[in-house]
Amino acid sequence: MGAPIRSHISDYAEAKPPVRPDAEGRQAPKPGVPAYHTPAHIPALPKLGTTWYKRGALYWLCRARTTVFLLIVMAMVCFFSISLYRGFRSEMPPTVRTVCDWVQVVAACVALVWGWVKQRRGHREGLLHPPTPEQTRQAKRDHNRRAPGLVAAGRGLVILAAPVMPAFAAYIVGWLVAWLTVREYPSEVGARRWLQEHGSSA
């Protein structure tokens, strides 16, 4: 009995796909191998990891997570500041209380704009002189070490700052909103420059 007859369709289905050259005339890398010009090591950044390199869906998910967390923080700061101020103003005469309230409204509006402008100026300066990935990570570590001490010191000063707490909270809100709405952080710019200086894998 002779060998079974194979159709041309079966031969075509079992054949390996042709290897297509890339734009520079080289053969495309095999499946599972990174594409040409993909950096051998993408440095991780605080809060973003390596998602900043492609800025895909995962990158924006990381930024959305940070935004939600800071919105909660801003809400808590505002609630605490207004509650502390209300306790302070309850001891005032009605006329003085009204004047003080209007002063707080004006001061809060000015502080809100000031916080926004302050952050955006710092952001522009950071884009002109962006940090390297190692400098970004070191700054994050330094911040984490200083945070407990700043919190402890702030607890003693917050009572003295009760008359201006609404303005202080407005400044924080303005600064954080400006920080959350930038297109790209200086740490990302610095990381991209670092990759360019250290080359990429061919």
Side-chain angles (χ1 to χ4, degrees):
M1 187 174 182
I5 300 175
R6 294 172 56 87
S7 66
H8 294 292
I9 297 178
S10 298
D11 294 337
Y12 180 79
E14 295 176 3
K16 294 182 179 180
V19 179
R20 299 178 179 177
D22 66 356
E24 298 180 1
R26 298 175 299 185
Q27 290 185 343
K30 297 179 181 180
V33 178
Y36 296 118
H37 305 301
T38 299
H41 173 66
I42 301 176
L45 299 178
K47 295 183 174 63
L48 295 175
T50 59
T51 63
W52 60 269
Y53 180 69
K54 292 186 176 180
R55 292 174 65 91
L58 190 57
Y59 168 83
W60 294 107
L61 183 62
C62 290
R63 290 194 58 167
R65 178 188 60 188
T66 302
T67 300
V68 171
F69 171 75
L70 289 181
L71 286 175
I72 296 174
V73 171
M74 285 186 280
M76 294 176 61
V77 169
C78 291
F79 176 79
F80 175 77
S81 301
I82 294 175
S83 298
L84 192 63
Y85 172 71
R86 290 180 63 182
F88 170 77
R89 70 186 286 277
S90 62
E91 304 298 328
M92 300 178 180
T95 304
V96 177
R97 188 184 309 167
T98 301
V99 174
C100 191
D101 289 346
W102 280 106
V103 170
Q104 288 296 329
V105 170
V106 174
C109 292
V110 173
L112 182 70
V113 176
W114 182 30
W116 175 283
V117 173
K118 184 73 173 180
Q119 197 286 326
R120 286 305 170 96
R121 287 178 179 174
H123 180 73
R124 286 193 294 269
E125 181 66 22
L127 293 179
L128 293 176
H129 306 284
T132 64
E134 180 57 32
Q135 289 173 337
T136 299
R137 290 190 291 267
Q138 184 60 45
K140 179 62 176 176
R141 288 192 291 266
D142 293 341
H143 171 76
N144 291 341
R145 284 195 295 267
R146 291 194 305 265
L150 293 175
V151 171
R155 290 174 181 174
L157 296 175
V158 70
I159 303 299
L160 299 177
V164 295
M165 279 303 293
F168 178 72
Y171 176 86
I172 293 177
V173 170
W175 195 98
L176 288 177
V177 170
W179 182 77
L180 289 172
T181 53
V182 298
R183 180 182 178 276
E184 191 175 35
Y185 296 116
S187 59
E188 299 178 56
V189 177
R192 294 188 189 281
R193 290 186 182 180
W194 184 89
L195 281 179
Q196 292 175 357
E197 293 173 358
H198 289 76
S200 59
S201 61

